[in-house]
Structures are given as structure tokens and as C-alpha cells.
Amino acid sequence: MLVSLGMHGQTLKSPNGNFVLEFSINEKGSPLYALSYKGKPVIQPSRLGLELAGGSKTEFNAEIRKQADPKTSLYDGFSLASVKHSAFDETWEPVWGETKTIRNHYNEMEVSLRQNSTERSLTLRFRLFDDGLGFRYEFPAQKNLSYFVLREELTEFALTGDHTAYWIPGDYDTQEYDYTISRLSEIRKLTEAAKTDNLSQTSFSPTGVQTALQLKTQDGLYINIHEAALLNYGCMHLELDDKNFVFRSWITPDANGTRGHLQAPSATPWRTVIVSDDARDIPASHITLNLNEPSKIKDPSWIKPMKYVGVWWEMITGKSEWSYTYDLPAVQIGKTDYTRVKPHGRHGATTENVKRYIDFAARHGFDGVLVEGWNIGWEDWFGNSKDFVFDFVTPYPDFDLEGIYRYAKSKGVKMIMHHETSSSIRNYERHLDKAYQLMNKYEYPAVKSGYVGDIIPRGENHYSQWINNHYQYALEKAAEYKIMVNAHEAVRPTGLSRTYPNLIGNESARGTEYQAFGGSKPNHVSVLPFTRLIGGPMDYTPGIFEMDISKMNPNNKSHVNATLANQLALYVTLSSPLQMAADLIENYGRFPDAFQFIKDVALDWEKSIYLEAEPGEYITVARKAKNSDQWFVGNTGGNTPFTSDISFDFLDAGKRYEAIIYSDAKDAHYKDNPQAYEIRKEIVTSGSRLKQVSVPGGGYAISLKPVK
Ligand code: NOJ
Ligand code: CA
């Protein structure tokens, strides 16, 4: 079924026929594409192409303007050289994830273009899956295009109207915003209103948004725009022409203002458009993973999902400190003698406190313990643009690295390393081998890295080609040392965990920490599965049971905008092979019956079935644990009450299951009654149904086990 998009060119259909992609070249020789779904236009004819930086090699800076130089155009003057169609269908097994197997099934069209005036070639590769589109630019090896610099990528996504968007502002420095839900036409005014708050001025655009961007049309189509396999390239934001509702790619520049230094043969990341008339298909899509290369880690047996606790929330809430002293160690790292300074007595990472966490982990079956603030340098790490900041190997005097290693080992618990880089990249790279070697020596299987603050080298952005190459370098080097990585503040994921499954986590969005920094919107967690999670799992760090932060730190009046049952549900709705029980361990002791769910819940899945979904309002998912007959169900709601109505028809027919249902009590509310929950047991079968109310900021969690 071909809708007329006014294009008379090449077409490609998805395997199920729901999608039609059209490609053509206009009178100026510019490539165009359009996409329809079930006969409805999704992307109207949209330009494709790239603009190169002209001038001499030394002139590439933000000021450089387009010369009348045909060589800067990779967007017009093209004619069609050849078109090749092919089909692909394989099923592969991820090392960990939401499903045990993933089908990668698409029809492909490879369009080769020739720019006669410059004798250059450009290839466009389109892959049409049953749930959407991926396409990228490829630069074949050729005489007239070998080393080149991008001024901008000119990919357009011309939408059909003033859709609802679930967005965070475009920014080169942070991704940790609450989402705004608005019409596209409202983005400009809402961004300008927020500008004074926290938007970084250097990267400000009043109509810029980050991906993964979720959209909903007025007639109920869900459209998601993101990217896959972001390698050796700047991260793609989108900038809106809000008169015509056309988004254009807006690549994060390097410090010199260019968007990437490339060499042929090479390719850009994939641009993805996932589409459905059923919201449940968006989080269930595997397009992002499928567009990445198969695993490069031949023996992944050392990559194992982990559930962990940590010396962390106490510093985030301000109950204790990362630093050891208030005295300023005046000299550079490695030369400060911490035995001579006066400790302030509020240090979190003390041997004694860490042992308490190890004992707790061992007692309750957790795999690991994360400790932050264990290494010297926390006194002046932030805001001082220190090049030589941390060394990642020297512990504070009250953290007995060796003793803790032996203690944890004796209890069967693994330690999780923490490397806050302070965004001093050269410093991290100069210490990286030694830091990873120390981890190997003390058998730390995983590192949480962090990139808080402005990047050094100064002037670099958080998501440019240059720094994306650093994140990738740290990940690949970690793989050499058999280390798993959970990178905070690094560029949001784009499915690279298929290729490097040691990337077991990223933060790269607003995580639980903001609940102690003033609070997040109660519906935030029901937006994330449609946005941030499209690229990969998030180290969201759920499991907060004490919502009144002033109980931990009288000076912190922040409130966790979630119910306790909602916090349990997150282990299922925000699937991740790395899950923290983030609260202080003493708070779990107060609610042992609810804590049981966190102990029981699985981390790795055979199947995932999205039962109910509407971005920002509710999401309900059932997941079957890998190599087990146990199921877990999670629901989170939004800002208003939600009645979930689900069938258990996913269960094995003929079997009886004990369901333990952890739900909001009737009078629960995220604001004034968050700890009101109920736990009940029921026997259910594949014929059972459940109606369950989740209060504002609420949710429910269920564990299901077959019984005789
Ligand atoms: C920000 C991270 O998101 C948080 O988890 C960490 O504790 C701090 N940086 C300090 O590294
Ligand atoms: Ca963070």
C-alpha cells in the first residue's frame, strides 16, 4: 500500500508490509526520503545530506561560514548510481537483556549516489524492520573523499503536524532533565522559560531537544526518533523548525566547532524511527540493538548481571561525605599526606561502614557493594577544573583496600569500583591501566565511572566525537581487563552493549539522585522506557523506602516523589542487568516484607511482555526470569491514579502460580503517604485477571512462582 508522498523514486517495504520507505532525488540533486506506516505518512519527504567544512585544514572553527565551494556540499548535485535490495533474517542471543533471543529481520535498500561535479560517491543504507526504520550515510573509499570534516549533518525528519512531544532540552553538557510533555509548537516558549534555570548557555537552542525523542500524533501514532551505534561521531540532538514541524539533526560539536573529523571508508551512526499505533511496541522494539554489530567479546562468561547495595545514598542525601577532611590538600594528587590532615568525621567510605554493607549484602544475597569516596581527591574535585585530580588507586587512610578485599571475598561479595573522573579526561586516561590493574588485583568485576563537570580539555563538550571516542576507549580497554562498565554522565546509550556487552549500565538521564536534589516529577519513570531506555539499560538506582530526606539530613528538605510500591516496580519496568538497592540499609530493616521483593527479583530475562503502556501515564510489563519458571510484573503510573487491568495469559496454561502482590494502599500518595503499601498472596493461573489501582507516583510489583 503506497501512499502518495509525491515521490516517484525507489521504494522499500518492511517484511510485514506495514512500512513503506520512499527515496528520490529532487531537481537540485538532493536526496529525499519519506516513511509511511499502515498507509499513513509518518515522515514527509525530508532532505538527507551532509555539509563539509570548507577552507584550509587549520580554519575549522565555529565561525567558519560556507564558502562558495562545491566541495562542502554532500547534499546536492547527486544522481543515482545504483540501488540494491536485500533481505535479512537472523535470531541472536544477547549476553543479558530483556529477552533471551532477538530477531533481526529487515529489508534493506542500498542507494549509491554519485556527485558528478566532484566525482564523489555517497551511499545511503536503509533498513526497514516490522517496527520501524534505520538508515545511515556511508562514505566508500574513494580518491576525492578521504579525510574530511563535517560542518553539519543535514538529516531532516519532516513530521505531519503539531505532535505531542516528550522532550528534554538540547544541551551539550547534561542529559539530567525532567521531561516536558507538550506540543511541538510549545517547545520554544517552554525552553526559553527554563533557560534562566539551568540550561547551559553555550549550547542553547530554543527549539533543540535530545533523543531518544518520543512523539505522539493527534490520531494516536507513536513515533520515536533516536540513533544506533554512535561511534566516532558526535551525538545527535534535533533542532525543530517549529513553523513547519521539521526536525533537523544537530550534531554535538567538538571544541573547534566542527561536528566530526572523518576518514573514508566509514559510516555515520544509524538514525532510527520506531513507529506504532500501539505504545507498547515502542519499549519492546529491538531496532537499536539490531543496528549494532554483533559482540566483539568472544568469551563473555565473565559478564554477569549484578544486584548491589552501596555507600552512596548517604552522600547523595548529605548524611555523610565523599571527602575525608575539610582541610584543603593544597598540593597535587599523590603528594598530599592525608595522615597529617584533620578528618571531619563524616566520611562515608570507612572500613567499618563498608564492612556493614558487605555483611548486609552477604546476608540478603546481593552480588556487590559499591563504595564511593574511597580514594583521595574528593576535597576539591568539583568546579576547580583540576587537571590532576584523582589517581584512582590511592585510598583514604580510613579505607583499608586490602582488608576490605579479603573481608568481601570471605563473605562471597564482590566490590564495585568507583571512578569519578571529574571529566578530566586526559587525567583518567593517564591512570586508566593502573586503575584497571588495581581492580583486577582486588577482583572488582565492575566499575561505576562518572563524568561530572566541565570536560578537560577545556572547551570540549560532553557528547562530541572527541569525548564519545573516550567513552568507547574506556569501555574497550575495560573489556581487555574483563571489567564491566556503568558510566554516569557519559553520552546516552545507542545499543552499543550488543557489541560490547560489558557496558552493563549507563546513567545518562535524570536518575534517583535528583529525588535528593529537590525531587523529580512523579511520572518521570513512566517516560523513561520511551526515551532514555530506547538506547539501553539505565543505572536508575531505585529502591528508596524513606521518602523524607530530612530524616537522613535535617538540612535537606527534598522529598522522593514516589510511593514505596512504585520503587519496587522499577526493578521490573526499568530493566537492567545492574540494579541497585539504593537506600540506606537501615531503611530496609524497617520494611523487611517489602524488601523481600528486591531480594527476589531477577536481573536477566527470557521474555518481556509489555501489557499496558502510555508514555508518562503508565507502563506495565511482565518478565520471565532467564532459566527459571518465575515471572515478575511491574507497573508504574503517572501524576494521576491509574487502574491497571491485566490478564495473566502469559503464564503457562495448566499451571498454578503463587502471586505475591506488592501494591499501593488505597490511601497512599507519593506526596503525603508514600510508605502505605499492601502485600497479598493469591493463586493465579493463565486464566486469571487483575485489576489494581496505582496512586499518583505509585505502582505495583508482583512475583509469580509455580506451586503444586
Ligand atoms: C554523579 C553520579 O550520578 C552519582 O551517582 C555519583 O555519586 C556522583 N556523580 C559522584 O561521582
Ligand atoms: Ca548523574
Side-chain angles (χ1 to χ4, degrees):
M1 173 185 9
L2 235 181
V3 280
S4 180
L5 292 166
M7 298 176 66
H8 305 283
Q10 316 297 320
T11 65
L12 176 69
K13 278 191 184 181
S14 60
N16 64 4
N18 281 348
F19 287 92
V20 178
L21 173 99
E22 295 177 66
F23 174 84
S24 72
I25 297 175
N26 70 12
E27 65 289 350
K28 289 196 172 136
S30 296
L32 302 171
Y33 78 105
L35 181 70
S36 67
Y37 168 75
K38 293 188 180 169
K40 284 186 194 164
V42 174
I43 306 286
Q44 296 187 310
S46 297
R47 292 271 304 269
L48 294 166
L50 306 126
E51 188 184 8
L52 307 185
S56 75
K57 274 194 184 162
T58 51
E59 274 183 76
F60 303 130
N61 60 55
E63 298 311 313
I64 201 165
R65 290 284 161 260
K66 193 181 147 201
Q67 328 277 318
D69 177 358
K71 293 199 180 67
T72 62
S73 161
L74 269 184
Y75 54 82
D76 63 4
F78 284 110
S79 56
L80 199 60
S82 70
V83 176
K84 277 189 226 149
H85 280 89
S86 60
F88 190 81
D89 191 1
E90 69 165 9
T91 297
W92 59 280
E93 278 195 26
V95 176
W96 47 261
E98 294 191 68
T99 55
K100 192 170 180 187
T101 58
I102 293 178
R103 187 171 181 199
N104 185 11
H105 184 203
Y106 58 81
N107 290 333
E108 180 174 284
M109 180 163 76
E110 179 191 322
V111 179
S112 298
L113 302 174
R114 184 78 180 157
Q115 197 176 41
N116 286 325
S117 63
T118 62
E119 298 186 348
R120 292 189 305 208
S121 303
L122 177 69
T123 300
L124 285 161
R125 190 174 301 278
F126 297 95
R127 288 186 181 167
L128 211 41
F129 301 79
D130 283 344
D131 49 357
L133 169 69
F135 63 94
R136 70 176 183 187
Y137 303 90
E138 295 178 2
F139 311 103
Q142 56 195 292
K143 193 166 117 261
N144 289 346
L145 191 70
S146 47
Y147 299 92
F148 55 103
V149 180
L150 265 194
R151 186 195 307 280
E152 190 50 285
E153 182 185 315
L154 306 175
T155 305
E156 288 181 353
F157 303 86
L159 304 169
T160 57
D162 192 7
H163 304 337
T164 299
Y166 306 73
W167 59 277
I168 55 174
D171 188 314
Y172 300 151
D173 294 317
T174 180
Q175 307 155 121
E176 299 181 354
Y177 293 102
D178 251 324
Y179 286 88
T180 299
I181 305 176
S182 79
R183 291 293 184 95
L184 291 169
S185 57
E186 296 169 315
I187 290 177
R188 177 185 297 276
K189 113 177 157 248
L190 292 167
T191 303
E192 277 179 341
K195 191 170 79 171
T196 43
D197 290 3
N198 47 10
L199 258 189
S200 147
Q201 299 300 306
T202 50
S203 55
F204 174 71
S205 161
T207 60
V209 298
Q210 304 195 28
T211 76
L213 174 70
Q214 180 63 45
L215 299 162
K216 185 182 180 184
T217 68
Q218 273 19 90
D219 56 353
L221 269 195
Y222 299 87
I223 305 169
N224 187 285
I225 304 176
H226 190 42
E227 64 180 313
L230 172 56
L231 287 165
N232 194 27
Y233 206 83
C235 161
M236 181 180 74
H237 292 337
L238 299 168
E239 198 166 27
L240 180 69
D241 163 355
D242 50 356
K243 296 216 167 51
N244 300 300
F245 307 121
V246 177
F247 274 113
R248 206 177 83 178
S249 53
W250 172 30
I251 307 301
T252 307
D254 281 325
N256 67 359
T258 65
R259 319 272 165 170
H261 287 236
L262 303 177
Q263 179 183 355
S266 60
T268 67
W270 296 90
R271 280 63 189 93
T272 60
V273 187
I274 306 170
V275 185
S276 181
D277 48 18
D278 183 338
R280 298 176 300 178
D281 294 339
I282 306 292
S285 172
H286 295 300
I287 282 188
T288 321
L289 284 173
N290 277 332
L291 288 169
N292 279 271
E293 296 297 315
S295 177
K296 295 211 166 144
I297 297 176
K298 292 292 162 256
D299 171 16
S301 56
W302 51 275
I303 300 172
K304 294 201 178 85
M306 291 185 87
K307 205 183 284 178
Y308 71 104
V309 288
V311 179
W312 178 71
W313 191 237
E314 59 185 84
M315 284 89 86
I316 292 287
T317 55
K319 182 179 190 284
S320 66
E321 303 260 8
W322 281 275
S323 68
Y324 173 75
T325 173
Y326 290 135
D327 299 344
L328 212 76
V331 285
Q332 302 228 324
I333 271 310
K335 299 192 183 132
T336 310
D337 183 356
Y338 276 87
T339 55
R340 285 164 201 269
V341 295
K342 195 165 135 264
H344 51 44
R346 302 185 63 237
H347 187 214
T350 65
T351 303
E352 192 195 351
N353 197 25
V354 171
K355 283 189 174 170
R356 214 165 55 89
Y357 272 80
I358 293 171
D359 289 342
F360 182 88
R363 194 168 343 118
H364 296 287
F366 283 76
D367 306 291
V369 173
L370 165 78
V371 182
E372 297 197 4
W374 68 276
N375 58 322
I376 60 170
W378 287 88
E379 284 71 24
D380 58 353
W381 70 287
F382 179 72
N384 297 317
S385 195
K386 274 189 86 170
D387 185 347
F388 293 79
V389 50
F390 294 106
D391 72 0
F392 311 98
V393 294
T394 312
Y396 277 128
D398 57 350
F399 182 88
D400 176 7
L401 185 61
E402 178 84 34
I404 284 168
Y405 160 66
R406 275 195 255 105
Y407 191 74
K409 201 172 162 98
S410 75
K411 300 264 171 169
V413 170
K414 300 274 182 203
M415 298 302 295
I416 299 180
M417 179 48 78
H418 184 234
H419 291 164
E420 174 53 65
T421 68
S422 188
S423 288
S424 182
I425 304 308
R426 166 75 182 111
N427 185 59
Y428 193 36
E429 291 188 358
R430 65 165 77 94
H431 292 288
L432 199 53
D433 276 289
K434 288 223 164 81
Y436 285 162
Q437 280 156 15
L438 184 91
M439 286 180 61
N440 280 173
K441 179 173 173 201
Y442 293 114
E443 298 180 53
Y444 284 63
V447 61
K448 169 180 172 180
S449 57
Y451 295 87
V452 170
D454 293 345
I455 304 288
I456 304 179
R458 299 175 186 99
E460 282 295 343
N461 294 310
H462 255 88
Y463 318 117
S464 62
Q465 179 191 36
W466 184 87
I467 188 126
N468 293 342
N469 286 345
H470 161 77
Y471 303 135
Q472 190 60 25
Y473 171 77
L475 177 65
E476 292 184 27
K477 186 148 275 283
E480 288 169 24
Y481 285 97
K482 295 197 163 69
I483 285 170
M484 301 184 279
V485 174
N486 163 29
H488 280 222
E489 295 91 27
V491 69
R492 78 279 186 281
T494 56
L496 286 166
S497 60
R498 179 179 182 189
T499 317
Y500 290 95
N502 63 319
L503 181 60
I504 51 165
N506 273 117
E507 183 192 42
S508 310
R510 189 182 183 90
T512 296
E513 60 185 357
Y514 281 82
Q515 299 280 25
F517 304 160
S520 295
K521 292 180 182 170
N523 69 345
H524 180 61
V525 291
S526 295
V527 179
L528 288 172
F530 298 88
T531 52
R532 163 64 183 74
L533 268 56
I534 296 298
M538 177 168 176
D539 184 35
Y540 184 77
T541 68
I544 304 301
F545 281 10
E546 180 50 69
M547 313 304 172
D548 177 358
I549 303 298
S550 70
K551 292 232 170 91
M552 270 83 71
N553 170 11
N555 299 321
N556 187 341
K557 302 284 182 257
S558 194
H559 185 266
V560 178
N561 294 324
T563 66
L564 195 150
N566 166 286
Q567 291 292 300
L568 299 181
L570 298 176
Y571 292 89
V572 187
T573 58
L574 307 181
S575 163
S576 171
L578 183 72
Q579 290 282 23
M580 185 175 201
D583 210 337
L584 305 184
I585 50 181
E586 44 273 36
N587 288 334
Y588 294 129
R590 294 163 52 202
F591 306 95
D593 55 353
F595 184 54
Q596 189 62 41
F597 183 82
I598 302 181
K599 290 166 67 169
D600 292 344
V601 69
L603 300 169
D604 196 16
W605 310 103
E606 188 170 309
K607 274 190 221 171
S608 291
I609 305 172
Y610 287 85
L611 302 172
E612 299 172 308
E614 180 63 23
E617 290 185 23
Y618 54 86
I619 183 146
T620 314
V621 57
R623 304 190 197 269
K624 183 171 194 273
K626 207 181 260 181
N627 305 322
S628 153
D629 46 16
Q630 285 193 46
W631 285 82
F632 296 87
V633 178
N635 161 274
T636 57
N639 300 335
T640 52
F642 170 67
T643 305
S644 174
D645 182 2
I646 61 166
S647 155
F648 287 99
D649 58 6
F650 51 84
L651 296 174
D652 283 356
K655 275 196 194 154
R656 284 155 42 85
Y657 292 79
E658 181 188 69
I660 309 178
I661 304 170
Y662 304 74
S663 65
D664 294 323
K666 283 202 177 53
D667 59 347
H669 191 284
Y670 74 86
K671 223 188 194 115
D672 44 33
N673 199 15
Q675 290 167 329
Y677 62 89
E678 284 168 0
I679 302 175
R680 64 184 198 273
K681 285 188 184 164
E682 283 176 17
I683 298 295
V684 299
T685 67
S686 61
S688 307
R689 292 195 72 90
L690 173 77
K691 257 198 180 178
Q692 182 67 52
V693 175
S694 292
V695 303
Y700 67 83
I702 309 177
S703 66
L704 292 143
K705 219 193 257 170
V707 285
K708 289 273 153 10

